[in-house]
Amino acid sequence: MNIVCLDMEGVLVPEIWIAFSEASGIPELKRTTRDEPDYDKLMRWRLGILKEHGLGLKEIQATIAKIDPLPGAREFLDELRSLTQVIILSDTFEEFAKPLMEKLGWPTIFCNSLEVAESGEITGFRMRCPQSKLTTVKALQSIGYETIASGDSYNDLGMIQASKAGFLFKSTEKIKADHPELPAYEEFGGLLSAIKAAL
């Protein structure tokens, strides 16, 4: 019984915060989990910047509405889902992910949720569980699944390393250099072939 666990941002869709950084003209918001391993620290820092600039959920959702999946992502997912079960494990938020899931054909996603004031200000966030990707992979293994995982960032390493097969996809040179034991791919065709071989 196999199940494939994929990261979302940087793997299937562009990084939301980078797109919003460009749309808002706030370069600091380009920082992602590729740069900062501590997600809690990263999110609190982001919320501080949003507050400082008077930006909220509405503005971010307006940017997300213009984001399309990476070229080939929908086809990759469709083929993968015809072969095995697939879950997207993301540290993003339901309020961000929904329009992107529609464009990807409504795959299953496990992610987190935002705390939003009536004014639209994002006041906080609720993580589904600690180390959500690794915790979820271990939970799936505890109910009889063998996991295959792929992602691009520091927060994906736990689930990749804990799986029977794990792959870096469109990752940074630093992460690839730090983890030469992990096969790394840049194209969906290569990743799909590697996953098929592991099934």
Side-chain angles (χ1 to χ4, degrees), residues 25-40:
I26 304 170
E28 302 96 299
L29 288 175
K30 277 196 167 80
R31 195 166 174 76
T32 71
T33 49
R34 289 168 160 226
D35 313 299
E36 173 52 72
D38 185 333
Y39 190 74
D40 189 69

Side-chain angles (χ1 to χ4, degrees), residues 66-88:
K66 298 175 191 156
I67 294 175
D68 286 320
L70 293 171
R74 171 78 187 256
E75 295 76 8
F76 163 76
L77 258 188
D78 286 348
E79 184 165 350
L80 196 51
R81 290 163 73 197
S82 76
L83 301 170
T84 189
Q85 297 297 306
V86 180
I87 297 178
I88 297 171

Side-chain angles (χ1 to χ4, degrees), residues 118-195:
E118 280 186 27
S119 65
E121 181 191 344
I122 301 170
T123 56
F125 55 97
R126 287 192 301 279
M127 302 300 280
R128 201 167 38 79
C129 56
Q131 288 189 294
S132 62
K133 297 181 185 191
L134 175 60
T135 303
T136 303
V137 157
K138 286 185 170 173
L140 290 166
Q141 291 166 350
S142 78
I143 56 170
Y145 283 101
E146 289 194 274
T147 59
I148 297 167
S150 183
D152 68 324
S153 297
Y154 285 107
N155 63 339
D156 299 313
L157 292 172
M159 73 169 180
I160 290 171
Q161 291 163 334
S163 294
K164 77 162 184 179
F167 311 102
L168 292 172
F169 187 67
K170 295 184 183 293
S171 191
T172 66
E173 292 308 316
K174 173 150 181 42
I175 293 173
K176 287 189 282 191
D178 288 349
H179 295 278
E181 76 284 2
L182 297 176
Y185 296 93
E186 297 300 319
E187 303 296 333
F188 285 116
L191 180 60
L192 185 63
S193 297
I195 292 172

Side-chain angles (χ1 to χ4, degrees), residues 7-20 60-70 73-74 77-78 81 88 90-109 111:
D7 177 37
M8 181 181 83
E9 291 181 70
V11 173
L12 298 170
V13 303
E15 294 276 355
I16 290 168
W17 288 97
I18 290 176
F20 187 63
I60 298 174
Q61 286 178 328
T63 295
I64 292 169
K66 298 175 191 156
I67 294 175
D68 286 320
L70 293 171
R74 171 78 187 256
L77 258 188
D78 286 348
R81 290 163 73 197
I88 297 171
S90 176
D91 279 339
T92 194
F93 305 95
E94 293 168 357
E95 297 83 355
F96 291 179
K98 194 173 178 185
L100 298 167
M101 292 304 98
E102 182 176 5
K103 290 178 181 179
L104 287 169
W106 297 113
T108 299
I109 182 168
C111 60

